[in-house]
Every structure is written in structure tokens, then in C-alpha cells.
Amino acid sequence: MHEAAEVWAVHFSGRSVNHNRSSMNTRPSFLALVLPMILLQMTSVTWGQAVSSDRRRKRHGDETGDQTVGLMGCGRTKGCFRQPMECMGDNCMAYVTWETLGDGQSRFSLRAQAAGWVAFGLRPEGSTDNGMVPADVYACTNKGELRRSKNGPGFDSFPNPLPQNALDAVTTESAEFSNGVIRCTFTRQPSLDGDDSFYNISGNNQYFILMAFGSSIRPDGDIQGNQHQNRWSTADTRSLQFDFSPPMSSGEALPKAHASLMVIAWVGFASIGITMARFFKPMWPNSKLCGTKVWFTIHRMCMVTCVLCFSAAFVLIFVHRQGFVDTGERTIVVAHAICGIIVTCLGIINPIMAIFRPHPGTPNRPIFNWAHWGVGTTAHLLGLVTVFLGIGYNSTGLLRGIPDYVFFVMIVFIGFHILIWILFEVQRCMTESQGRSNDVALKATGDSTDHLSPDVDSDPPSGSTAKTILLCIYVVGVIIAVAFLVISIAIAG
């Protein structure tokens, strides 16, 4: 790249754009505690990256819905060019974002850690020069102004006075300089008749995105464009009219039903069903429910309902998408789809295994216990991870309008789940009776019906009242979490 071509000759003329400021039986206790912690660690990675994002937001009531100044929605509701790549919020040295509004105009937002100015430009796709010229350039200054000019092949062609209609085609929405950071937001018409330097960004037209910032600025507000501290250009051209709407933006009913059913299945019924099988086999030894032990009946009812819910959700999303997601979509969309398929397969395999389970006391029974526990626990944990991916944070979720606080509600629920399980483990280690068989056979052998009978020789386990109270607290907590998530999904958008 020739040095002369790399120079961003941005001598801005002294006229600024007009401002318009708007406003189980086998109990692997250690694993049972460690695996939920793994889930919490996985979600903390996403949370740790997200909480550092830029929290300064400006709401706009245009036809595209809620739009936000900053990096929220990059690749989803807006295009972004940022340095360093994949940075978030205050970690970014500079960035520019663009989005298409309902009236056909485009909104651009710039931000940089700069003392004087930050600018971005559009270089045509067919230009022979590989540097920063020619370009249609827009700069925000530390004086709260937006300046527009055009880059030419050298310094001799500047300053070039811009016609008034070129200035009227750009409207400043906000511009500020504080704490060493320059920010501005403006709207731009897609094209301008009679001005070839005002590049047409409508249709399939594509441009290289240029960005630079510097500290040199003249007293009259013009910047010294050839004195920049940093400058960048995209490696390829990009469309500024790309449809950045969420993948589920059209027809939200089926996606919302899918999300709600998955929450009900994995956050609700699976959590209660697995808890019953894990901790409540010794409970209520002299009682039966629907002909079998209480814990087994509740466990079976919860897991059957879970299977029905996630199976229905699985069908609904495939009907909505008319097949699998495009592998070219956002990583989080593809990851959510893959995890969902794995969870569904595991969720179906486990009840099939239970139907053909061997009798208690037979050589293969321990193998079944471990397999049933392992598949079920993996499905539950991966199901919760998949729910996290769907909810997302900082506009990374797969449904439009999911509030950020929903992500933290899920974090709180995971913490609540782990805490209750720890208390159950402590209580079990302290008070559970030893030597009692709590397995439920597939069917009676001969005339034996012992698997359906209460343990008449067993006394109720000590601490049963406290354990029952703890179970009630857990069930109420699960119901509250599920209800909150389902309502949040229903009203999102």
C-alpha cells in the first residue's frame, strides 16, 4: 500500500452540520454437587464479558423498535466496526455502528477514546486506491460538532466547500465529549441527487468502512485529518442496508411458545423431578401415591411432563424455522440450536432407558443407575445452558426485547438450586437411614408385590419435617422462577 494512498487527507471545511438534539439409587454425591458448579462457571464467562459492555443508552422511538447507542445488537440489529475486534464498551479504543431506520435513513454512532476527534468514512467498492481515499467522511469533534468532508487524492484539493443540501442530508442527534471520550450519533439519507461524493448506501451498494481518531484540532473546529493517532479499514466491503433484524423477528408466537415450553420443561419439571429422585427415596416409607412410592410417582410425573413439553417445543421451532438454522448465522444461534438438539435426544433416550430398566438386585441394575443418572443430569445441565443461550445478555438473546435482568434471574435461580441441593446433601449425610431399599422395579416377579408396598418395617427418617419444608421452599422457588421467565418471554418484543 503506497504511503501517499494511506494518508487520510481529511481537511474539513469550516461549516458544521446543523445540530438537532433529540432526546437415583446410586448416589455420586461429589458429582451431583460439582456438575451444577460447572454450569455456573460456564454462565459466568458470558456474564463476565457482558457486564463490561457500554451501559450508556439512548432510546429512539422509530419504526424499527428499540434502538440503542453503543454496541448492543451488533450483528443482530446493527452493523459494527470496532477496534480491537470483538471488544465491548469501555474496552474499545474506537467503534462505529450503523442501522437502517424505518423511514429509509441510516443511523450512525461513533465513539473513541480521543482528545480531539473521531471520524469514519465510506470508500467505494470499485476504487483502485487501497488507502483512505476517495472517501465520504464524517467526524465528531471534542467541541460537540459533526463535520463532513470528502477525501481526495492529495492535500491540494482541500478544503472543498460542501453544498448546503449535502449538509441538510445529515442530522446530528447527539454529540458530546467527556472523560476523554468522544461520542456522537447522526442520521444520514441513503443518497443525494447531484452529489457524487455523497455515496449511495441503499440497495446492494457496498463500501469499505474507514475509521480514525486524533488529537489535533484547529481553533475554528476543523480537524487536522492527516495527523491521526490511529486509523483502520475493513478488509472487505460491507453493505450498510443489510437486514440486521433478529432471526426470529417475523412471527414471534412460535418462538415464544418454544422458549416458554423449554423453560417449563428444564427449569421447572426437570429440576423438581431430578431433586425428588436424588434426595427423597427414603421419605414417606409408609405411604403410596398412585400405587407406587411417593418419590417415584412425583419423579415420573415430572419427567413425563418434561418430555411432553420439550418435544412440543422442539417441533414448534422447526416449524417456525422450516428446518435447521443456517450455519452462517451468529455463533450463538448455531450453538443454541446444536445444544437444543442434543438436549432433546438425551431427554428422549432417558425415559426409554427407564422403561427397560433391570430389576433391583440384578447385576445390570448398577449400570442402569449410573447411565440413567448420567444421561438425566447431563440433559438437565445442558438444558439450562441452552436456556441461557436463548435468553442471552446485552441484546445477544434470540428473542427481541428480552430484558437484561432476565439473565440475572437465571443466575439467581442457579445459585438457589445449588444452595438447596447443598442443604439436602448435608441433611442426607446427617439423618438418612441406612440399609433401606428405595429402588422401584419395572414389574413384579411372580406373585411378589414388594416394590409396590410400603416399607412396613421402617420408621420415618429423622429430620423428615425439615426436609419437607426445604422441599416446599424449593418447589415454590422453582415455580416463581418459571412464572417470571415465561411472563418475561410473553411480553418481550
Side-chain angles (χ1 to χ4, degrees), residues 7 20 51 63 72 93 152 177 207 215 224 241 261 265 307 377 384 393 398 410 429 432-433 460 472 479 493:
V7 175
N20 178 22
V51 294
E63 295 179 14
M72 294 184 65
M93 190 179 301
F177 173 69
Y207 300 89
S215 57
Q224 294 177 269
Q241 296 293 315
L261 286 172
V307 171
T377 302
L384 294 178
Y393 179 77
L398 305 186
M410 276 296 296
C429 292
E432 186 180 47
S433 300
C472 292
I479 292 174

Side-chain angles (χ1 to χ4, degrees), residues 52-55 71 82 87-93 95 111 113 394:
S52 64
S53 62
D54 190 6
R55 301 307 303 271
L71 292 174
R82 45 189 164 177
C87 67
M88 292 297 292
D90 293 339
N91 295 326
C92 292
M93 190 179 301
Y95 66 73
R111 178 191 184 278
Q113 301 175 23
N394 211 7

Side-chain angles (χ1 to χ4, degrees), residues 348-358 368 372 441-443:
I348 292 175
I349 289 172
N350 220 29
I352 294 176
M353 292 169 53
I355 292 174
F356 297 99
R357 66 188 182 275
F368 163 78
H372 189 63
L442 174 61
K443 61 180 180 179

Side-chain angles (χ1 to χ4, degrees), residues 241-277:
Q241 296 293 315
F242 186 85
D243 182 9
F244 289 104
S245 59
M248 296 182 182
S249 60
S250 59
E252 293 288 340
L254 291 183
K256 286 184 177 182
H258 163 83
S260 298
L261 286 172
M262 284 299 189
V263 167
I264 292 171
W266 295 111
V267 178
F269 287 106
S271 298
I272 296 175
I274 291 175
T275 300
M276 292 300 300

Side-chain angles (χ1 to χ4, degrees), residues 380-407:
H380 185 223
L381 295 179
L382 190 57
L384 294 178
V385 170
T386 307
V387 171
F388 266 108
L389 292 175
I391 291 174
Y393 179 77
N394 211 7
S395 292
T396 62
L398 305 186
L399 280 175
R400 183 194 297 272
I402 293 289
D404 289 344
Y405 57 76
V406 176
F407 179 88

Side-chain angles (χ1 to χ4, degrees), residues 69-128:
V69 172
L71 292 174
M72 294 184 65
C74 279
R76 181 169 174 260
T77 60
K78 63 179 67 173
C80 301
F81 179 44
R82 45 189 164 177
Q83 293 295 328
M85 297 299 291
E86 305 302 326
C87 67
M88 292 297 292
D90 293 339
N91 295 326
C92 292
M93 190 179 301
Y95 66 73
V96 57
T97 69
W98 59 93
E99 55 194 331
T100 304
L101 306 181
D103 58 2
Q105 296 193 76
S106 294
R107 175 181 290 127
F108 295 88
S109 296
L110 285 85
R111 178 191 184 278
Q113 301 175 23
W117 54 271
V118 55
F120 100 98
L122 304 172
R123 184 164 65 85
E125 181 179 16
S127 59
T128 57

